């Protein structure tokens, strides 16, 4: 009991200190007509390029290795699992579970069969299992081809702007997508936060479109695309759960089971890309202004900043270190580069002023020493001449 009190005492003191600090800041800001709450925070005018050398740390080796392992593992598992499911589905006696895609397509074909009066239309209903696997493999192939295309453009580009834009897209958009990609990722676009943000951006864009017909088409495309993402994403989640169900059973856990479970967990957690979402919000905060809408010029400024940052990292570090930093770059690094604290700057200025004072004092001391040594030399020479006169006499 006494040990618990001893352990809790520092925590209690820290809580009281925080409470006192909150009350002090409340009184300071509440009684001020124009409180400067963000007085210690400024945006780096140079884009943070002067602090690029502070990005390196040895922990980035681990982060980059994890990123490469997740990317390779996820790609292998998706290809292997989908091909295995497709091969099983072609065998006789394979038990098919329900899928939302199959149910919707069956209802549509039934309605079309009754409309046309032809029962053979029902035979055109594709199997939902094959649809999900083919869609996932097609999306994965599209991502891999896009990576190859960006890499080829890096080598073929003659202008530095275009070259480094391809580099930042490859490392900070495509490779993070591949590390946790699955067809379940489509559910990301139907989450409440993403839908509300995209709907607000769509509303702002439609307000600038004079044609009512184009507005209707834009909203129709938005709604249909979200419905498509929801249906395919749900079926992909159901399919992935069935694929990995047998991994949850059994008395022993092999390395293969553990590896597959880790990949499945990464895919599930990757449905909502929190890192990408946070980075987008940071970019919106810095570049979009008060309306929180990224205009074309603001989007271009963001892309140019990313490209110039990638080039600056390449200039400051070796090729291996650059590769590691590009793979492990996060929103924390973005905040470290873009935001500065005035207190640190003032302490730096104070230290510079103290250093200059010490230099001035040392120079003054040197001059005094030089003058004293000169005067002593003159005195000693006068004394020597006097002694010489005395001896001559």
């Amino acid at each position: 009991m006494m040990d618990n009190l001893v352990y809790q005492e520092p925590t209690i003191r820290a809580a009281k200190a925080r409470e006192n600090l909150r009350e002090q800041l409340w009184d300071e800001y509440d009684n001020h007509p124009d409180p400067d709450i963000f007085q210690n925070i400024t945006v780096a005018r140079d884009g943070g390029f002067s602090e690029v050398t502070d990005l390196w740390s040895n922990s980035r080796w681990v982060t980059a290795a994890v990123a490469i392992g997740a990317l390779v593992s996820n790609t292998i598992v998706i290809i292997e699992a989908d091909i295995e499911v497709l091969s099983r589905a072609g065998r006789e006696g394979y038990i098919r579970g329900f899928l939302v895609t199959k149910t919707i397509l069956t209802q549509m074909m039934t309605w079309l069969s009754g409309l046309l009066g032809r029962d053979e239309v029902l035979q055109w209903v594709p199997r939902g299992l094959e649809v999900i696997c083919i869609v996932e493999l097609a999306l994965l192939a599209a991502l891999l081809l896009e990576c190859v295309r960006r890499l080829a453009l890096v080598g073929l580009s003659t202008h530095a702007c275009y070259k480094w834009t391809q580099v930042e897209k490859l490392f900070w958009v495509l490779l993070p997508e591949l590390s946790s990609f699955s067809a379940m990722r489509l559910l990301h676009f139907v989450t409440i936060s993403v839908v509300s943000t995209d709907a607000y951006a769509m509303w702002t864009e439609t307000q600038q479109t004079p044609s009512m017909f184009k507005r209707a088409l834009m909203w129709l495309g938005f709604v249909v695309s979200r419905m498509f993402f929801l249906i395919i994403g749900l079926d992909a989640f159901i399919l992935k759960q069935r694929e990995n169900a047998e991994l949850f059973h059994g008395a022993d856990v092999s390395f293969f089971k553990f590896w597959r479970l880790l990949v499945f967990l990464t895919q599930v957690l990757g449905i909502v890309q929190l890192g990408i979402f946070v980075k987008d919000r940071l970019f919106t905060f810095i570049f979009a202004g008060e309306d929180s809408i990224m205009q074309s010029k603001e989007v271009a400024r963001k892309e140019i900043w990313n490209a110039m940052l990638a080039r600056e990292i390449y200039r400051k570090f070796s090729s291996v270190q650059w590769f590691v930093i590009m793979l492990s770059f996060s929103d924390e690094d973005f905040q470290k580069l873009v935001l500065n604290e005035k207190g640190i700057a003032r302490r730096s200025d104070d230290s510079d002023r103290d250093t200059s004072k010490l230099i001035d004092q040392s120079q003054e001391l040197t001059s005094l020493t030089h003058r004293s040594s000169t005067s002593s030399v003159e005195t000693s020479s006068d004394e020597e001449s006097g002694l010489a006169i005395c001896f001559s006499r």
Side-chain angles (χ1 to χ4, degrees):
M1 185 64 178
M2 292 299 296
D3 293 339
N4 292 333
L5 291 176
V6 171
Y7 290 139
Q8 290 178 1
E9 186 176 354
T11 305
I12 295 173
R13 288 201 302 266
K16 289 182 178 180
R18 285 195 299 269
E19 184 66 28
N20 294 332
L21 181 59
R22 283 195 294 266
E23 293 178 359
Q24 178 183 352
L25 292 176
W26 177 273
D27 295 336
E28 177 183 351
Y29 296 140
D30 187 50
N31 297 326
H32 199 286
D34 189 16
D36 189 7
I37 299 178
F38 301 114
Q39 57 183 341
N40 294 328
I41 300 298
T42 59
V43 178
R45 305 298 297 176
D46 64 343
F49 296 152
S50 60
E51 302 179 23
V52 166
T53 54
D54 298 334
L55 290 177
W56 178 255
S57 64
N58 291 328
S59 62
R60 289 189 180 273
W61 291 107
V62 179
T63 308
V66 171
I68 295 175
L71 191 152
V72 175
S73 298
N74 189 60
T75 304
I76 293 175
V77 167
I78 287 178
I79 296 174
E80 179 185 3
D82 286 345
I83 292 177
E84 183 180 358
V85 170
L86 289 174
S87 63
R88 286 182 182 179
R91 303 171 187 169
E92 289 189 24
Y94 180 75
I95 301 176
R96 293 173 175 269
F98 80 94
L99 288 174
V100 180
T101 306
K102 178 67 177 296
T103 303
I104 293 176
L105 291 176
T106 301
Q107 294 295 328
M108 292 176 60
M109 289 302 177
T110 302
W111 174 81
L112 184 61
S113 174
L115 182 64
L116 299 177
R118 300 176 60 181
D119 295 337
E120 60 269 18
V121 175
L122 294 176
Q123 300 177 1
W124 300 348
V125 179
R127 297 175 178 179
L129 184 65
E130 286 82 349
V131 171
I132 301 303
C133 292
I134 291 174
V135 167
E136 185 172 57
L137 290 174
L139 292 175
L140 178 62
L143 278 175
L144 293 174
L145 290 176
E146 183 64 15
C147 290
V148 174
R149 187 182 76 88
R150 298 279 184 177
L151 193 60
L153 290 175
V154 170
L156 297 175
S157 301
T158 57
H159 197 284
C161 172
Y162 196 64
K163 173 183 178 180
W164 289 104
T165 301
Q166 306 306 317
V167 170
E168 67 93 5
K169 292 291 184 185
L170 177 63
F171 278 92
W172 292 338
V173 177
L174 294 175
L175 294 185
E177 285 280 347
L178 280 172
S179 63
S180 60
F181 168 79
S182 70
M184 295 185 294
R185 174 72 59 78
L186 296 175
L187 293 174
H188 167 79
F189 300 100
V190 295
T191 55
I192 300 299
S193 57
V194 176
V195 168
S196 59
T197 303
D198 292 344
Y200 178 70
M202 176 65 67
W203 179 82
T204 305
E205 185 177 356
T206 54
Q207 294 302 309
Q208 301 174 358
T209 304
S211 175
M212 293 294 296
F213 180 71
K214 289 184 178 179
R215 291 184 184 182
L217 284 180
M218 292 171 66
W219 279 111
L220 179 62
F222 179 81
V223 174
V224 171
S225 63
R226 288 333 187 251
M227 292 298 297
F228 174 79
F229 295 154
L230 177 61
I231 294 171
I232 300 297
L234 281 176
D235 279 349
F237 178 76
I238 296 171
L239 179 61
K240 294 295 180 182
Q241 190 274 333
R242 290 173 183 164
E243 287 178 359
N244 296 278
E246 59 185 20
L247 301 177
F248 294 95
H249 303 287
D252 300 327
V253 178
S254 62
F255 174 79
F256 176 75
K257 283 186 176 182
F258 184 72
W259 174 58
R260 287 287 298 268
L261 287 175
L262 280 182
V263 174
F264 175 63
L265 179 62
T266 304
Q267 291 175 349
V268 173
L269 295 177
I271 293 175
V272 178
Q273 284 289 296
L274 187 59
I276 297 177
F277 183 74
V278 170
K279 184 182 290 187
D280 289 341
R281 292 304 303 166
L282 287 174
F283 281 138
T284 302
F285 174 76
I286 295 297
F287 294 101
E290 295 183 1
D291 58 357
S292 299
I293 300 297
M294 296 285 285
Q295 307 295 337
S296 58
K297 186 176 181 180
E298 295 164 344
V299 172
R301 187 181 292 113
K302 179 200 73 172
E303 294 175 349
I304 291 302
W305 182 84
N306 282 328
M308 295 183 71
L309 177 61
R311 186 185 65 175
E312 192 67 20
I313 296 173
Y314 184 78
R315 288 176 174 177
K316 298 296 184 181
F317 298 97
S318 64
S319 299
V320 177
Q321 288 178 322
W322 171 81
F323 184 76
V324 171
I325 292 175
M326 294 294 289
L327 286 176
S328 59
F329 192 84
S330 64
D331 55 291
E332 294 180 358
D333 299 320
F334 175 81
Q335 182 174 344
K336 179 189 297 185
L337 293 175
V338 173
L339 298 182
N340 290 332
E341 294 185 16
K342 289 183 179 179
I344 296 177
R346 282 197 296 269
R347 289 194 294 270
S348 178
D349 294 340
D350 293 339
S351 63
D352 292 340
R353 284 195 293 269
D354 294 339
T355 304
S356 63
K357 287 181 180 179
L358 289 175
I359 294 174
D360 294 338
Q361 291 175 359
S362 63
Q363 290 177 352
E364 184 178 357
L365 182 60
T366 303
S367 62
L368 289 173
T369 306
H370 178 70
R371 285 199 298 269
S372 63
S373 62
T374 304
S375 61
S376 63
V377 170
E378 292 176 353
T379 304
S380 62
S381 62
D382 293 340
E383 291 176 352
E384 290 175 358
S385 62
L387 289 172
I389 292 173
C390 293
F391 280 116
S392 63
R393 289 177 181 176

